[in-house]
Amino acid sequence: GNCNCKIFDGLYQIATNAIQNVDIKEQTQTQCTISSPCDIDQAPICQSLLNNQYTVNDKLVSIISTFSWNEFCDRAWSPDTWTDCPSSDLWSACMMAPCSDIDGNGEWAQCQCIVNQGSWIDNDDK
Protein backbone atom coordinates (compact mmCIF):
# COMPACT_ATOMS: atom_id res chain seq x y z
CA GLY A 1 0.00 0.00 0.00
CA ASN A 2 1.14 3.53 -0.67
CA CYS A 3 1.24 5.59 2.52
CA ASN A 4 2.08 9.29 2.78
CA CYS A 5 4.53 10.08 5.56
CA LYS A 6 6.10 13.27 6.92
CA ILE A 7 9.85 13.39 6.35
CA PHE A 8 12.08 13.99 9.38
CA ASP A 9 15.85 14.10 9.43
CA GLY A 10 17.48 12.99 12.65
CA LEU A 11 17.88 10.01 14.94
CA TYR A 12 15.71 6.99 14.23
CA GLN A 13 15.33 3.34 15.14
CA ILE A 14 14.70 0.36 12.92
CA ALA A 15 13.59 -3.22 13.37
CA THR A 16 16.38 -5.27 11.81
CA ASN A 17 13.94 -7.99 10.75
CA ALA A 18 12.27 -5.41 8.46
CA ILE A 19 15.42 -4.58 6.46
CA GLN A 20 14.48 -5.42 2.87
CA ASN A 21 18.02 -5.73 1.50
CA VAL A 22 18.99 -9.33 2.36
CA ASP A 23 22.78 -8.75 2.46
CA ILE A 24 22.54 -5.61 4.63
CA LYS A 25 19.98 -7.32 6.87
CA GLU A 26 22.30 -10.29 7.46
CA GLN A 27 25.34 -8.06 8.09
CA THR A 28 23.38 -5.88 10.52
CA GLN A 29 21.86 -8.78 12.45
CA THR A 30 25.29 -10.44 12.71
CA GLN A 31 27.11 -7.32 13.89
CA CYS A 32 24.43 -5.71 16.08
CA THR A 33 23.07 -8.06 18.71
CA ILE A 34 21.37 -7.72 22.07
CA SER A 35 24.60 -8.69 23.81
CA SER A 36 26.71 -6.43 21.58
CA PRO A 37 24.58 -3.54 20.28
CA CYS A 38 25.93 -1.15 17.67
CA ASP A 39 26.59 2.49 18.49
CA ILE A 40 24.69 5.24 16.69
CA ASP A 41 25.39 5.12 12.94
CA GLN A 42 27.71 2.08 13.28
CA ALA A 43 25.34 -0.63 12.06
CA PRO A 44 25.81 -1.77 8.45
CA ILE A 45 22.27 -0.56 7.63
CA CYS A 46 23.09 2.90 9.00
CA GLN A 47 26.32 3.07 7.01
CA SER A 48 24.46 1.99 3.89
CA LEU A 49 21.87 4.74 4.40
CA LEU A 50 24.42 7.41 5.32
CA ASN A 51 26.49 6.62 2.22
CA ASN A 52 23.40 6.57 -0.04
CA GLN A 53 24.03 2.92 -0.93
CA TYR A 54 20.86 1.23 0.35
CA THR A 55 19.00 -0.69 -2.34
CA VAL A 56 15.75 -2.66 -2.41
CA ASN A 57 15.26 -4.97 -5.38
CA ASP A 58 18.40 -3.45 -6.98
CA LYS A 59 16.90 0.05 -6.84
CA LEU A 60 18.66 2.80 -4.87
CA VAL A 61 16.48 4.07 -2.01
CA SER A 62 17.32 7.47 -0.55
CA ILE A 63 14.27 7.81 1.72
CA ILE A 64 13.04 4.99 3.98
CA SER A 65 10.37 4.68 6.63
CA THR A 66 11.75 4.18 10.15
CA PHE A 67 10.66 4.85 13.73
CA SER A 68 11.53 8.27 15.10
CA TRP A 69 10.83 9.87 18.46
CA ASN A 70 10.47 13.21 16.59
CA GLU A 71 7.42 15.05 18.01
CA PHE A 72 6.34 11.78 19.69
CA CYS A 73 5.06 13.47 22.84
CA ASP A 74 2.90 15.85 20.79
CA ARG A 75 1.25 12.92 19.01
CA ALA A 76 1.20 10.29 21.76
CA TRP A 77 -2.06 8.94 23.09
CA SER A 78 -2.83 8.18 26.70
CA PRO A 79 -1.18 4.99 28.02
CA ASP A 80 -4.54 3.30 28.57
CA THR A 81 -5.55 3.68 24.90
CA TRP A 82 -4.77 0.80 22.55
CA THR A 83 -4.92 0.21 18.84
CA ASP A 84 -6.43 -3.22 18.45
CA CYS A 85 -7.18 -4.36 14.88
CA PRO A 86 -9.54 -7.33 14.47
CA SER A 87 -8.35 -10.24 12.34
CA SER A 88 -10.43 -9.06 9.38
CA ASP A 89 -8.75 -5.63 9.20
CA LEU A 90 -6.05 -4.56 6.76
CA TRP A 91 -3.07 -2.65 8.11
CA SER A 92 0.25 -1.39 6.74
CA ALA A 93 3.74 -2.25 7.92
CA CYS A 94 5.94 0.64 6.86
CA MET A 95 9.15 -0.10 8.79
CA MET A 96 12.05 0.10 6.29
CA ALA A 97 9.66 0.65 3.37
CA PRO A 98 11.21 2.43 0.39
CA CYS A 99 9.82 5.94 -0.07
CA SER A 100 10.00 8.77 -2.58
CA ASP A 101 9.66 12.54 -2.15
CA ILE A 102 6.16 13.46 -3.37
CA ASP A 103 6.07 17.22 -2.89
CA GLY A 104 9.52 18.09 -4.24
CA ASN A 105 10.58 19.99 -1.13
CA GLY A 106 11.48 17.13 1.20
CA GLU A 107 8.48 17.47 3.52
CA TRP A 108 6.33 14.50 2.44
CA ALA A 109 7.15 11.07 1.05
CA GLN A 110 5.07 8.25 -0.31
CA CYS A 111 6.19 4.90 1.11
CA GLN A 112 5.57 1.48 -0.42
CA CYS A 113 4.35 -0.28 2.71
CA ILE A 114 3.50 -3.96 3.03
CA VAL A 115 -0.24 -4.52 3.49
CA ASN A 116 -1.18 -7.18 6.03
CA GLN A 117 -4.48 -8.71 7.04
CA GLY A 118 -5.03 -10.09 10.50
CA SER A 119 -4.97 -9.21 14.15
CA TRP A 120 -2.56 -6.59 15.38
CA ILE A 121 -2.09 -5.02 18.80
CA ASP A 122 0.27 -2.11 19.43
CA ASN A 123 1.75 -3.32 22.72
CA ASP A 124 3.08 -6.71 23.80
CA ASP A 125 1.78 -6.17 27.33
CA LYS A 126 -1.89 -6.22 26.35
Side-chain angles (χ1 to χ4, degrees):
N2 292 326
C3 299
N4 292 345
C5 302
K6 182 116 175 84
I7 296 175
F8 293 102
D9 190 16
L11 294 177
Y12 55 87
Q13 295 175 322
I14 63 163
T16 59
N17 64 330
I19 298 171
Q20 295 183 32
N21 179 304
V22 176
D23 293 335
I24 297 294
K25 177 180 184 175
E26 183 178 298
Q27 292 170 23
T28 301
Q29 289 180 327
T30 299
Q31 182 176 328
C32 306
T33 64
I34 291 174
S35 61
S36 182
C38 288
D39 288 332
I40 293 174
D41 291 338
Q42 296 304 307
I45 181 61
C46 297
Q47 288 299 305
S48 178
L49 294 168
L50 287 168
N51 294 323
N52 201 30
Q53 297 172 335
Y54 183 67
T55 59
V56 174
N57 299 323
D58 296 322
K59 183 178 177 185
L60 185 64
V61 178
S62 59
I63 303 171
I64 62 159
S65 179
T66 62
F67 177 79
S68 170
W69 290 102
N70 192 302
E71 298 180 7
F72 179 79
C73 292
D74 294 336
R75 296 176 297 186
W77 51 91
S78 68
D80 60 346
T81 302
W82 298 91
T83 301
D84 189 351
C85 299
S87 61
S88 61
D89 284 357
L90 296 176
W91 52 277
S92 294
C94 294
M95 175 62 73
M96 296 302 295
C99 307
S100 56
D101 187 338
I102 58 172
D103 62 4
N105 63 11
E107 288 189 34
W108 290 93
Q110 186 171 76
C111 301
Q112 300 166 15
C113 303
I114 297 168
V115 176
N116 298 283
Q117 182 171 8
S119 298
W120 181 80
I121 299 174
D122 73 347
N123 189 309
D124 292 337
D125 292 334
K126 186 172 180 191

